[in-house]
Amino acid sequence: MTKEKAIDSKRVLSVGEVAKRSGVPISTIHFYESKGLIIASRSAGNHRQYPAIVLRYIAIIRVAQSVGMSLEEIGETLRSIQAGSKLTAEQWRVISSQWK
């Protein structure tokens, strides 16, 4: 793993940063978290912190919703992959073929 990838995998974002970068409201991010679609940790000050990879997961959720998938179906798919992991090309191929 390169030094850059190691830093990225440990980078955390505040809920405000996630909202700004993903284009979804903070309330939606909290909703996705309450449904188990994304995961946050807590800082020492009890603030939500999201791994940077959450931006990809939110993008996947939004695409899936745009084609009519329910949050339950999306959750089942996301739970089939390791939480917080970067999707491989093979994982994406399997997911997208299931969604057809």
Side-chain angles (χ1 to χ4, degrees):
M1 182 181 305
T2 67
K3 185 176 180 180
E4 182 178 315
K5 286 184 181 181
I7 292 169
D8 263 353
S9 67
K10 294 180 183 183
R11 183 165 180 227
V12 293
L13 305 171
S14 70
V15 69
E17 290 173 302
V18 173
K20 183 178 180 180
R21 293 182 64 185
S22 67
V24 300
I26 291 173
S27 59
T28 301
I29 295 166
H30 290 166
F31 178 73
Y32 289 163
E33 184 181 354
S34 74
K35 295 296 182 184
L37 301 174
I38 59 175
I39 299 171
S41 59
R42 295 287 182 151
S43 69
N46 204 31
H47 296 280
R48 285 180 171 96
Q49 296 178 316
Y50 296 88
I53 196 74
V54 78
L55 296 170
R56 285 194 189 183
Y57 284 77
I58 291 172
I60 291 167
I61 294 165
R62 294 191 65 190
V63 167
Q65 285 181 303
S66 73
V67 297
M69 292 188 64
S70 71
L71 289 178
E72 185 175 302
E73 292 170 314
I74 297 166
E76 287 173 15
T77 300
L78 293 179
R79 283 187 289 278
S80 72
I81 56 177
Q82 184 180 354
S85 68
K86 185 176 178 179
L87 288 176
T88 65
E90 178 61 19
Q91 286 172 313
W92 182 244
R93 188 192 63 70
V94 170
I95 289 169
S96 60
S97 68
Q98 290 172 348
W99 288 356
K100 288 181 183 179

